Amino acid sequence: MTWHARLSLDLQREQEKTVARFHHDGPLRILKSLYPEGEGICHNVIVHPPGGLVGGDVLDVRVQVGAGAHGLVSTPGATRFYRSDGPSATQQVALTLDEGARLEWLPLEAIAYPGCLAHNTLRATVAEGAELIGWDVCALGLPTAGQPFDRGSLTQHLEIPGLWLERSRIDATDTRLLESPLGLAGQRCMGTLWLACGTPLTRERREHLLETVRQVLEDGPAGVRAGATCPNPQMVVVRALAPLVEPLMAQLQRVWATLRTEAWGLPNVAPRIWRV
């Protein structure tokens, strides 16, 4: 039996409060909205009770953030793409930010189990004056459990139409890509973090954010290889590789906290689910 689960989360500014409403079909839910920073910023956690995807499963998540609203969305655990006997498993995320909105998209990692046929897609639309901080983290196999990524494939698609597009297909048999210093260099966890703005950043702001992020990366956990760039005037992008998820995620959390403060003037208030 396969799942086709859909979740639509709508965040709207009502007076001084960001209010969350959602509709679902299948095993996707939103936990209670939390306001650890006051009513202007709504924290939510997306829960997928089955805990993973098998062949034929589809998770379809859509987040709409209205003008002036600010949401933070995370997950309680990894998205797990299990072994497939034929059909692929798909997670597709669509983020839409209206004028002046802010969204922090901070799910925990996706794990590609040996033998999976996984498609992981994210598309975001960012209107004028809106800003999005997000990340995508993926681990290939479970090396500490003796389950290397030695068969199967993962297709990744990250897109902000008209602004940024990254697409990759990692086949477990493509040792040249997996092991080459021009590819993953033997690392089995990869992550991308971005700040995307609907309005071009000023040169001063862009250079300040890039310099600040690079300072954070210089003092990162051992084994994490990371770099920051501005691929266009509306984005700051960090890419990282590591042998395991934990040090890479810790590094991205540090970058997120820094961008939150330097770009938005907000303190480091991490989602409570990260401490559970």
Side-chain angles (χ1 to χ4, degrees):
M1 181 179 180
T2 60
W3 293 106
H4 192 159
R6 301 178 181 88
L7 174 71
S8 296
L9 174 62
D10 185 37
L11 297 159
Q12 296 294 330
R13 185 82 170 184
E14 297 183 1
Q15 296 182 348
E16 299 301 315
K17 185 175 184 178
T18 296
V19 178
R21 298 180 177 87
F22 73 95
H23 302 280
H24 66 87
D25 179 14
L28 278 173
R29 299 289 189 276
I30 290 289
L31 292 181
K32 179 180 178 181
S33 296
L34 300 174
Y35 295 90
E37 306 176 73
E39 293 187 338
I41 304 175
C42 184
H43 288 219
N44 281 283
V45 177
I46 296 178
V47 179
H48 179 226
L53 293 85
V54 299
D57 286 354
V58 177
L59 297 186
D60 187 349
V61 178
R62 301 177 183 274
V63 181
Q64 174 82 40
V65 189
H70 186 160
L72 185 154
V73 181
S74 188
T75 59
T79 298
R80 301 172 187 271
F81 290 98
Y82 293 124
R83 179 180 61 85
S84 172
D85 292 329
S88 60
T90 300
Q91 176 176 256
Q92 50 197 32
V93 176
L95 311 175
T96 304
L97 281 66
D98 293 340
E99 185 175 353
R102 288 178 178 174
L103 177 64
E104 298 167 78
W105 175 254
L106 308 172
L108 296 186
E109 72 276 6
I111 302 176
Y113 277 63
C116 74
L117 298 174
H119 292 264
N120 193 26
T121 299
L122 182 145
R123 290 183 176 86
T125 302
V126 185
E128 184 175 352
E131 297 191 356
L132 165 67
I133 297 177
W135 66 40
D136 185 274
V137 178
C138 184
L140 302 174
L142 296 90
T144 59
Q147 298 184 50
F149 188 65
D150 54 6
R151 60 195 187 282
S153 66
L154 168 69
T155 299
Q156 294 269 87
H157 183 107
L158 305 176
E159 181 180 7
I160 301 176
L163 191 62
W164 183 53
L165 172 63
E166 292 196 358
R167 184 174 173 85
S168 65
R169 184 178 185 274
I170 300 174
D171 191 307
T173 62
D174 189 351
T175 55
R176 182 174 296 180
L177 172 63
L178 291 169
E179 305 299 336
S180 167
L182 298 179
L184 299 186
Q187 307 302 303
R188 290 299 180 265
C189 184
M190 53 189 177
T192 302
L193 178 150
W194 62 88
L195 166 66
C197 305
T199 302
L201 295 159
T202 64
R203 180 176 179 180
E204 292 75 17
R205 189 182 182 208
R206 186 170 67 247
E207 291 181 350
H208 170 70
L209 293 176
L210 190 59
E211 179 182 359
T212 302
V213 167
R214 286 174 173 168
Q215 289 175 354
V216 174
L217 297 179
E218 288 178 0
D219 189 28
V224 178
R225 307 178 185 183
T229 61
C230 289
N232 57 63
Q234 293 174 240
M235 295 188 70
V236 177
V237 176
V238 175
R239 297 177 179 85
L241 290 173
L244 298 171
V245 168
E246 291 79 8
L248 187 147
M249 187 64 79
Q251 179 72 303
L252 293 189
Q253 288 177 1
R254 294 173 67 237
V255 173
W256 160 76
T258 298
L259 277 176
R260 203 173 199 262
T261 298
E262 298 298 324
W264 295 346
L266 296 174
N268 175 15
V269 180
R272 294 180 184 179
I273 198 69
W274 292 358
R275 303 191 295 271
V276 173

